[in-house]
Amino acid sequence: MNKMYIAYGSNLNLEQMRYRCPHATVLGTSELKDYRLIFRRSYLSIEKSEGDSVPVLLWEITPTDEKSLDRYEGYPRFYRKETVTVELEGKPVKAMVYIMDERFPLEGPSFSYYSTVTQGYKDCGFDPSVVREAAERDEGHTITPELQRQIFAIRDTGLTNMLDAAEVKRLAKGRGYTALIKLINSDPGAYARFILYGDPS
């Protein structure tokens, strides 16, 4: 039996969802009220937060699609399933949503995952700034003046796209920038926010 599924993370990305769940159909966009986005283990989740809201995309999925999503989401080890109520075309409907287990810590996203989620928000016409705000809730690093100096030195060479983490680390290694390498390895979300938005916090 088909069911409604709420996407708020990488499954907003239409291209990836077509590959992952080829039988799924978009029903429309909505808003999950009194929740907010957070990153746990570098992946998006949601948590209750009165007065906040999360933009979501509603899908109709088949049992085969749901099995594929279960594998992708790491159900039940990492994500559990809950049923929540949202509005679709002005009417309340019940839909399934994945929420990560709260025992996992807040942790910023990887470059590739952040890019995938941000593209999904653009695909759906959502404001991607809410993803950035969620990433800023992690327990991450501050980009110190010394780290900024190292980042700008790599950038000014013009030898790489600064979101190509592997190449940035290779160039940093050649210059002895151990602090920059450590940052990228331990908190890629903080590094990505600085590169994309100039946010050092």
Side-chain angles (χ1 to χ4, degrees), residues 5-13 37 44 55 113 116-118 120-121:
Y5 157 64
I6 288 175
Y8 57 81
S10 61
N11 290 332
L12 294 176
N13 188 298
L37 290 175
L44 269 179
Y113 184 76
T116 296
V117 171
T118 300
Y121 271 69

Side-chain angles (χ1 to χ4, degrees), residues 136-165:
E136 290 169 354
R137 295 188 182 107
D138 70 19
E139 299 166 346
H141 296 74
T142 296
I143 309 298
T144 64
E146 173 57 21
L147 277 170
Q148 293 182 41
R149 183 191 70 77
Q150 294 181 12
I151 289 169
F152 293 146
I154 298 292
R155 181 200 66 186
D156 291 345
T157 66
L159 295 174
T160 185
N161 178 330
M162 294 303 289
L163 291 177
D164 183 345

Side-chain angles (χ1 to χ4, degrees), residues 40-42 105-111 135 138-143 147 165 169 177-193:
R40 292 191 187 279
R41 291 184 66 252
S42 302
L106 299 179
E107 185 179 347
S110 68
F111 301 113
D138 70 19
E139 299 166 346
H141 296 74
T142 296
I143 309 298
L147 277 170
K169 286 195 294 183
Y177 291 168
T178 55
L180 178 53
I181 294 170
K182 182 178 180 181
L183 171 71
I184 295 173
N185 287 336
S186 64
D187 197 345
Y191 174 77
R193 290 196 302 277

